[in-house]
Amino acid sequence: MVEWYLFLPQVRLSVADIAERARHAEASGFDGMAFIDHLEAPGLPDESIWEAMGIASWVAAKTERLRIGHLVLCDAFRHPAVLAKQAVTLSDASEGRFDLGLGAGSWPAEFTRFDVGQQDPKARVELLGRHLDLIRQYWGDEEGGAAQVPRRSHPIPLVLGGTGPRMMELVRRYADWWNVPANHLDKLPKLAPAAGAARVSVQQMVGFVRTSSDPDTVREVSARRFGNLGSGLVCGDADELIAHFNGLAAQGVERFYVWFADFAVPDSLHEFGESVIKAFPAP
């Protein structure tokens, strides 16, 4: 059994558009939805992008069943005491539908532009480890810590993203889920054993050939936009995608964050739900 999340970067879309896609995803059988966390759109500094926790809170309020999270929140953007409080608040407000996705940051250009975080990736991962300890203290998971109130009413699964050796150590120590980014999907077979008890998820860009689509056009447009992702991009019709995801599930993947090359237009969400998601046993 696998879980299906819609991955939708909150770039070039209005808040209303994002909420609409969330409702379509919920109606189409997706289990959750995840956003990015950047102060500027990566590679598009003049493009609009909405703040990550704000958009997650709004989508949680506009849906009833979808779990809400991120791939992933940047540790440098929020003090761990603030993030711990935000996570508990959103979890309680959504009746337990929040996953805390967290990482060390992947776009140093915005650290420089906004004077936040550190450029040294090793230092960022070390700081993330210290902050994970603090978050557990603030949640009351550690004896003698500065626990915040109110306490959690629901579990808050921790999703850690990354593939470096230091990050994998944090995955083994803290994570409920380890997520493999789309541009590192080729590392899955080698690194999966290093995830320890963490369940495995992958971020997968999909060029979905719908029944009304021209296959050559879908493949050409998807490759032009996202071919840099390598194996992180898969193109095909429903049968081809079912075979692809079955192959990943056979490697132990239990959750798919589906990133549509057509920006998750509602027709794609609905047909994907009917033809692909329903081909897999419900969790």
Side-chain angles (χ1 to χ4, degrees):
M1 295 187 290
V2 297
E3 299 177 6
W4 301 89
Y5 276 48
L6 171 62
F7 177 68
L8 187 69
Q10 61 275 20
V11 179
R12 291 181 174 175
L13 295 169
S14 70
V15 172
D17 288 337
I18 293 168
E20 179 191 34
R21 279 164 167 74
R23 288 190 288 266
H24 282 289
E26 187 169 60
S28 301
F30 283 84
D31 301 293
M33 188 169 182
F35 303 100
I36 61 175
D37 186 29
H38 288 283
L39 301 177
E40 66 179 28
L44 300 167
D46 297 323
E47 191 59 74
S48 62
I49 180 171
W50 303 106
E51 193 279 324
M53 288 296 282
I55 202 68
S57 299
W58 184 247
V59 168
K62 293 294 183 178
T63 54
E64 298 178 356
R65 182 184 54 80
L66 283 183
R67 296 194 63 83
I68 307 299
H70 303 86
L71 292 182
V72 283
L73 293 173
C74 179
D75 175 59
F77 294 167
R78 299 165 189 85
H79 190 282
V82 175
L83 180 58
K85 179 69 72 174
Q86 288 177 314
V88 170
T89 301
L90 184 46
S91 176
D92 193 82
S94 64
E95 299 183 335
R97 292 189 287 129
F98 178 64
D99 300 336
L100 177 57
L102 200 55
S106 61
W107 196 251
E110 64 188 337
F111 296 167
T112 300
R113 182 176 182 185
F114 298 105
D115 193 21
V116 63
Q118 303 181 58
Q119 288 294 326
D120 181 6
K122 294 180 182 179
R124 294 202 304 270
V125 175
E126 290 175 1
L127 186 61
L128 172 60
R130 293 197 291 273
H131 286 175
L132 288 168
D133 278 330
L134 286 171
I135 288 170
R136 291 173 61 174
Q137 290 181 29
Y138 299 141
W139 284 349
D141 296 346
E142 302 289 342
E143 293 294 331
Q148 298 174 341
V149 290
R151 298 289 183 89
R152 287 177 293 172
S153 300
H154 309 275
I156 303 176
L158 178 64
V159 183
L160 292 183
T163 58
R166 291 174 176 79
M167 182 59 71
M168 296 309 297
E169 290 179 13
L170 297 183
V171 168
R172 289 190 295 273
R173 287 175 56 190
Y174 298 101
D176 298 290
W177 289 90
W178 168 54
N179 184 71
V180 185
N183 59 339
H184 289 162
L185 200 55
D186 58 331
K187 298 182 180 180
L188 171 63
K190 179 180 178 180
L191 291 181
R199 301 168 72 182
V200 180
S201 67
V202 298
Q203 179 192 50
Q204 179 71 74
M205 171 65 74
V206 169
F208 183 31
V209 180
R210 305 197 307 265
T211 53
S212 60
S213 303
D214 174 64
D216 292 336
T217 299
V218 171
R219 295 175 194 276
E220 188 275 327
V221 171
S222 299
R224 186 176 70 247
R225 290 175 175 169
F226 302 105
N228 62 302
L229 294 175
S231 61
L233 169 65
V234 60
C235 297
D237 60 18
D239 289 340
E240 290 171 306
L241 295 181
I242 290 168
H244 174 80
F245 286 115
N246 265 322
L248 290 171
Q251 297 181 59
V253 178
E254 297 184 63
R255 178 184 290 172
F256 299 115
Y257 289 89
V258 184
W259 184 6
F260 287 92
D262 65 3
F263 308 106
V265 297
D267 285 347
S268 287
L269 295 175
H270 288 293
E271 186 169 333
F272 188 89
E274 286 295 318
S275 60
V276 178
I277 293 178
K278 285 189 175 180
F280 292 78

